[in-house]
Amino acid sequence: MMGWCTMSRVFLVMIPCTVLMAGCGFLGIYRHQKAEWAPPEESARVDFPNSFEQGTHLSGPRMAAVKIAMDDFMPPGTRVKGDNEQLAQCLSRWDTYDVSVLQPSEELFFIRFFPVTSRCGLDVMVLDAGAVYAVDSKGRILAVQ
């Protein structure tokens, strides 16, 4: 059984640690930007489908592999830098990229990111902006091309 003095010491250590961890959010560490929600009048017009049979299906392991590759390829909060500011802004947006996933076995996923700069109104061919990741079923990045 802990005495009052010991418990006081534990709390004296826990409080500064808690404050320090909360401060990390203010410094931009582990910051998660929440999605913007549409106004209620727009939301009311949404007609949900009865079936997803014709949709694109990602299994849990496949989605996890994509997330791992995405977070490494363009971590949240990072921005591409370069001489052409318009191109840099374009390559910093997720909606610029097409993503392909190939799963040759239960244990291996290949995830390809390919920029489509025309989505930004640019007519520029960028050859070295994408990447192909090899991710295993344990959530590890095996290699990147």
Side-chain angles (χ1 to χ4, degrees):
M1 185 163 143
M2 277 195 210
W4 170 251
C5 189
T6 306
M7 286 178 52
S8 297
R9 287 184 190 146
V10 170
F11 284 117
L12 286 174
V13 171
M14 286 178 57
I15 289 172
C17 289
T18 304
V19 170
L20 181 62
M21 292 301 287
C24 290
F26 295 115
L27 298 173
I29 302 169
Y30 302 111
R31 186 179 357 187
H32 171 74
Q33 186 174 350
K34 291 192 174 201
E36 179 182 348
W37 282 78
E41 57 274 7
E42 285 183 53
S43 299
R45 294 190 300 250
V46 174
D47 187 22
F48 281 93
N50 292 327
S51 169
F52 281 84
E53 190 174 315
Q54 299 299 315
T56 301
H57 303 278
L58 294 176
S59 66
R62 188 174 285 196
M63 189 62 214
V66 169
K67 173 87 169 94
I68 289 163
M70 285 176 66
D71 287 348
D72 187 76
F73 179 67
M74 192 169 21
T78 60
R79 295 286 172 244
V80 174
K81 292 180 170 68
D83 296 335
N84 183 333
E85 183 60 32
Q86 236 183 341
L87 180 60
Q89 286 179 358
C90 180
L91 295 175
S92 296
R93 295 176 18 195
W94 270 116
D95 60 343
T96 298
Y97 295 89
D98 280 352
V99 180
S100 298
V101 181
L102 176 65
Q103 185 178 358
S105 70
E106 289 292 317
E107 296 83 28
L108 183 61
F109 304 87
F110 291 102
I111 298 96
R112 182 183 130 202
F113 300 103
F114 182 77
V116 181
T117 57
S118 62
R119 291 189 184 127
C120 304
L122 300 175
D123 187 22
V124 178
M125 177 65 89
V126 183
L127 300 176
D128 60 348
V132 177
Y133 281 77
V135 178
D136 70 8
S137 61
K138 295 176 185 171
R140 301 176 304 170
I141 297 172
L142 302 173
V144 181
Q145 267 187 348

